[in-house]
Amino acid sequence: LVDPAVEALHSNYEELMAKLQANKGLGPEASFGFREIVHRSQGRYDMTLGDKLKAAGPDAPAGLQVMKFLLMSPIWRQVLSGLLGPDYKVNWTAALYAKSGCLEQKPHLDGAHLFQSTHGWAVPAPAHALQLFLPMCETPLARGPTEFWPGSHRVDAARFARELPSLGLECAPGDAIVFDFRVLHRGMANTSGKWRPVLYQTVSRAWWTDDFNFPEESIDDAEANAADYQEGGPGTRAGFIRRDL
């Protein structure tokens, strides 16, 4: 079932690489961040797909149809509604694409703890955003699955998260991984000789928006340069500052 989706993701990657070279003079090894694709770390690419999937009608290629089918599953909707409320929203529909040979990432959060900067480390808060990962390939440890630090999303554990035991979560097509935006995690090294594709959505409570993980600038904008990626730290998150906010 997922083979057409994997082919579509690779075609999307190649199309974006061609645009990067033609419009910006950048190759796949360069550091860059645009609305369509971000080079997260060496050999790891994050591609937004929301506009492409929204525009995909009944006559769209099979790969896009498969992705829409997988993401529209009532199972995910029921789970996410139960965790975030029936009015939850999708912030990003995207795909992670990790090439063989990429090294392990630095452990990181996808978003910060709310209110930590004003209330310190003693105010627990329920989940405000989640990631839904749908693996598009068999992912044993050699293919570089995501390594998680369970429990690290709790604000009282955040400062000591790296002292918690971690888990490299092997997975396969048909699995779904749902995790809190604040969980410490990283992509593991991919030594398999194959790409590792993951379809995912960032979802949140209706009142919250992820304005940081993708920049505003498009590859197609004549004046746009590769946006600066900002490193995170304790109580802060890594990503892109949106200049119009």
Side-chain angles (χ1 to χ4, degrees):
L1 175 64
V2 300
D3 286 349
V6 173
E7 292 174 8
L9 291 177
H10 190 70
S11 295
N12 188 64
Y13 167 79
E14 291 188 325
E15 176 187 324
L16 292 173
M17 288 299 108
K19 275 190 175 185
L20 272 172
Q21 184 62 54
N23 295 357
K24 307 299 178 185
L26 297 174
E29 302 303 317
S31 296
F32 56 80
F34 293 97
R35 185 166 68 241
E36 298 88 350
I37 185 169
V38 173
H39 195 178
R40 294 286 178 200
S41 61
Q42 195 63 36
R44 296 179 188 275
Y45 306 93
D46 200 346
M47 304 180 290
T48 53
L49 300 168
D51 291 343
K52 184 166 286 190
L53 292 182
K54 284 180 184 178
D59 298 326
L64 298 181
Q65 299 286 7
V66 169
M67 285 188 270
K68 290 186 72 171
F69 172 78
L70 292 172
L71 290 167
M72 292 176 63
S73 169
I75 298 175
W76 321 144
R77 292 175 181 272
Q78 183 177 358
V79 170
L80 298 174
S81 293
L83 293 170
L84 297 173
D87 59 345
Y88 80 88
K89 67 180 182 181
V90 176
N91 286 252
W92 303 108
T93 298
L96 297 169
Y97 207 38
K99 69 188 300 184
S100 179
C102 65
L103 302 178
E104 63 186 20
Q105 287 181 298
K106 293 180 180 180
H108 61 279
L109 320 181
D110 285 337
H113 291 266
L114 298 186
F115 319 122
Q116 184 276 324
S117 61
T118 55
H119 291 73
W121 298 101
V123 180
H128 62 277
L130 302 169
Q131 300 284 33
L132 167 66
F133 275 20
L134 302 180
M136 294 289 102
C137 65
E138 296 284 341
T139 314
L141 291 178
R143 205 162 181 174
T146 304
E147 180 180 9
F148 295 97
W149 277 257
S152 58
H153 65 291
R154 302 195 322 267
V155 70
D156 60 340
R159 288 176 293 173
F160 316 105
R162 297 193 191 197
E163 299 176 19
L164 297 172
S166 66
L167 171 68
L169 192 57
E170 296 180 300
C171 52
D175 292 339
I177 302 169
V178 178
F179 64 96
D180 194 297
F181 217 52
R182 303 163 295 181
V183 168
L184 187 70
H185 66 284
R186 67 175 169 186
M188 300 177 73
N190 183 356
T191 61
S192 66
K194 302 176 182 178
W195 286 86
R196 176 204 169 209
V198 179
L199 184 65
Y200 79 92
Q201 283 188 326
T202 299
V203 297
S204 72
R205 297 186 186 273
W207 46 264
W208 188 85
T209 297
D210 176 18
D211 61 0
F212 209 62
N213 278 297
F214 287 93
E216 289 280 10
E217 295 84 355
S218 169
I219 296 173
D220 295 321
D221 295 341
E223 301 298 323
N225 296 314
D228 292 329
Y229 188 73
Q230 306 212 359
E231 292 289 342
T236 64
R237 52 188 176 153
F240 300 91
I241 295 292
R242 293 205 169 195
R243 306 299 175 188
D244 61 341
L245 293 181

